Amino acid sequence: MYFCRLFCNQILKKADIETIKDILSSPKKMVIVTHYNPDGDAIGSSLALLLYLQQYKHQVSVLVPNSLPDYLTWMPESENILIATEQLDICKEKIEEADIIFCLDFNAFNRVGQMQEFLEQSKTFKILIDHHISPMKYFNLKYSLTDKTSSTSELVYRLIVEKLADKKHFTKAMAECLYVGIMTDTGSMSYSCNNPSTYRVLSALVDYKIDGEKIHRRVYDTYSESRLHLLGYCLFKKLVVLKEFSTSYMLLTKADLDFYNYQQGDTEGIVNYGLSIKEVRFTAFFTERDDRVRISFRSKGNFDVNVLAKQYFNGGGHKNAAGGNFYGNIYDAVNLLLKILPSYKEQLNQPWDD
Ligand code: 5GP
Ligand code: MN
């Protein structure tokens, strides 16, 4: 942990704050790029920053690698987001023309799909705002806090109001966006939120008279009927519990997804059910995609899924929530997990509720 505080957290220095103020002071072309399969935090933090920058007359575009889930399309300015899988040339042009590139809610270029090579080739000044462990070196300025921070959305608030002391440019619409980000990245304040700062920021957002209950309904009570059937199918037919390893997993093939008319975002959150069993402290959720197998990992307590995802599944994330990729057959992906589980047996069988 001490190591992480020293090397993972990139606190803004006075000079960094002055650099950002200087950047803001004259109109520029800017892009905000966020990660593949953008979630509530990716979109919420990006749109809040967009709304902020627009007030300074910058020309700003939000670029996402692939489309956003339906439950986020009500958000302000979401209709103007550029989607790389649909408008790759425009995204390329925007990145090439930009004077400043903001990278939000990811720590490495391999998280931005087809835009990866544009970012790699770009020499433009890049500002990272993120909460994932071990950000890569190639960002020019980093505001990256991994502990005692819920989300990138929380950091966007702290940047604008606390670091830049610019509360007068903070608006209700921005508060709504950031509320979405904090709410979704903490599972409605159930994990990654044991931090006074998270509640301080939430309290400040609610002061803008946002309707947190309505926002929750818009995000969590707008699923399609087929998504609910898919969830039911997963829980009833696909959940495997391995008591010996305090582990559970589920897998969905492409045929399963097709049968339930899969739409982007439909599998979001299903992984958490695998962890909700008392005896389970680690769960994995495999889904078969066109070009790979996507895996979501969740854990309780000190079992570190970020390390496991990085070491075996070309991924990463946080201690208790990480994602990974397997380039091959979905059953081989599951078999790889089954093969490595014995080496974690002792850790997995330790009590987590201490
Ligand atoms: P999810 O399982 O919800 O897709 O992802 C859980 C967490 O892991 C998120 O914070 C996400 O940003 C991170 N994550 C997911 N996939 C990857 C990946 O391939 N690489 C890295 N570094 N992080 C990931
Ligand atoms: Mn996030």
Side-chain angles (χ1 to χ4, degrees):
M1 195 49 133
Y2 180 66
F3 174 86
C4 189
R5 280 213 183 102
L6 272 182
F7 297 103
C8 298
N9 289 321
Q10 308 276 328
I11 297 160
L12 281 185
K13 296 180 210 78
K14 253 196 177 143
D16 296 329
I17 297 170
E18 289 312 311
T19 303
I20 297 174
K21 283 184 178 168
D22 191 47
I23 287 168
L24 290 178
S25 66
S26 60
K28 295 187 175 51
K29 288 184 180 162
M30 299 178 173
V31 294
I32 301 169
V33 184
T34 191
H35 63 77
Y36 197 82
N37 279 344
D39 54 14
D41 189 32
I43 299 296
S45 59
S46 297
L47 291 178
L49 184 63
L50 168 87
L51 294 168
Y52 176 67
L53 296 170
Q54 282 176 338
Q55 296 175 69
Y56 281 93
K57 310 285 178 246
H58 300 296
Q59 258 185 58
V60 198
S61 304
V62 174
L63 316 181
V64 297
N66 60 334
S67 60
L68 46 155
D70 270 356
Y71 64 83
L72 298 176
T73 52
W74 57 272
M75 293 179 69
E77 292 288 331
S78 62
E79 67 280 10
N80 294 321
I81 291 177
L82 296 167
I83 301 166
T85 46
E86 293 165 19
Q87 297 146 295
L88 192 61
D89 290 345
I90 303 178
C91 290
K92 181 170 190 259
E93 207 178 291
K94 291 281 181 192
I95 290 173
E96 283 171 357
E97 286 177 355
D99 303 311
I100 298 291
I101 298 174
F102 285 94
C103 297
L104 262 62
D105 202 37
F106 67 92
N107 58 1
F109 290 162
N110 65 6
R111 298 275 291 133
V112 300
Q114 294 172 86
M115 292 189 286
Q116 177 174 351
E117 59 168 304
F118 311 151
L119 288 187
E120 279 167 357
Q121 280 158 16
S122 159
K123 301 223 166 6
T124 303
F125 196 83
K126 297 181 192 70
I127 301 176
L128 175 76
I129 309 175
D130 181 47
H131 66 127
H132 294 91
I133 297 167
S134 314
M136 301 304 279
K137 287 206 184 88
Y138 38 60
F139 302 99
N140 301 89
L141 192 158
K142 294 181 219 179
Y143 183 32
S144 166
L145 297 184
T146 57
D147 57 342
K148 298 198 173 10
T149 304
S150 63
S151 57
T152 301
S153 293
E154 179 181 328
L155 292 179
V156 168
Y157 179 88
R158 285 158 66 177
L159 173 68
I160 295 169
V161 176
E162 295 172 11
K163 306 289 174 198
L164 300 173
D166 199 9
K167 197 168 193 302
K168 67 175 190 294
H169 286 96
F170 197 86
T171 64
K172 181 178 176 183
M174 290 161 66
E176 285 179 330
C177 294
L178 296 185
Y179 190 88
V180 170
I182 298 175
M183 180 184 78
T184 53
D185 254 28
T186 60
S188 304
M189 294 23 123
S190 65
Y191 48 80
S192 312
C193 58
N194 271 343
N195 328 299
S197 66
T198 304
Y199 287 92
R200 266 202 301 276
V201 172
L202 283 168
S203 164
L205 299 181
V206 175
D207 269 342
Y208 280 83
K209 307 242 177 314
I210 62 169
D211 188 339
E213 295 169 16
K214 186 158 97 187
I215 291 172
H216 192 280
R217 283 196 300 277
R218 283 180 166 177
V219 171
Y220 291 111
D221 297 342
T222 54
Y223 289 126
S224 65
E225 191 180 335
S226 58
R227 192 268 183 194
L228 227 64
H229 289 301
L230 176 65
L231 170 63
Y233 171 67
C234 284
L235 301 182
F236 188 38
K237 297 284 186 191
K238 307 296 285 195
L239 178 67
V240 180
V241 180
L242 306 167
K243 284 214 172 102
E244 191 189 352
F245 300 111
S246 309
T247 293
S248 69
Y249 72 87
M250 293 183 256
L251 79 91
L252 286 177
T253 62
K254 256 168 66 184
D256 292 327
L257 295 172
D258 288 345
F259 185 83
Y260 287 97
N261 187 27
Y262 170 79
Q263 304 294 316
Q264 165 110 26
D266 279 356
T267 49
E268 206 72 38
I270 293 182
V271 60
N272 297 310
Y273 288 92
L275 200 64
S276 66
I277 302 167
K278 188 176 178 187
E279 292 78 16
V280 168
R281 76 170 307 180
F282 168 53
T283 194
F285 180 56
F286 300 81
T287 45
E288 191 177 28
R289 307 277 185 221
D290 286 335
D291 56 340
R292 68 210 157 119
V293 178
R294 226 0 248 167
I295 310 118
S296 277
F297 299 104
R298 298 291 185 270
S299 69
K300 291 172 186 161
N302 281 329
F303 188 69
D304 193 333
V305 287
N306 168 52
V307 171
L308 184 144
K310 225 185 228 166
Q311 196 170 344
Y312 296 102
F313 291 96
N314 307 296
H318 312 273
K319 186 173 79 178
N320 297 126
N325 305 285
F326 182 87
Y327 299 93
N329 183 292
I330 188 162
Y331 299 102
D332 289 340
V334 174
N335 283 333
L336 173 59
L337 182 75
L338 297 179
K339 205 172 112 194
I340 63 176
L341 274 180
S343 64
Y344 289 107
K345 187 171 178 180
E346 203 182 321
Q347 268 190 65
L348 286 166
N349 287 332
Q350 274 165 19
W352 54 267
D353 196 12
D354 41 22

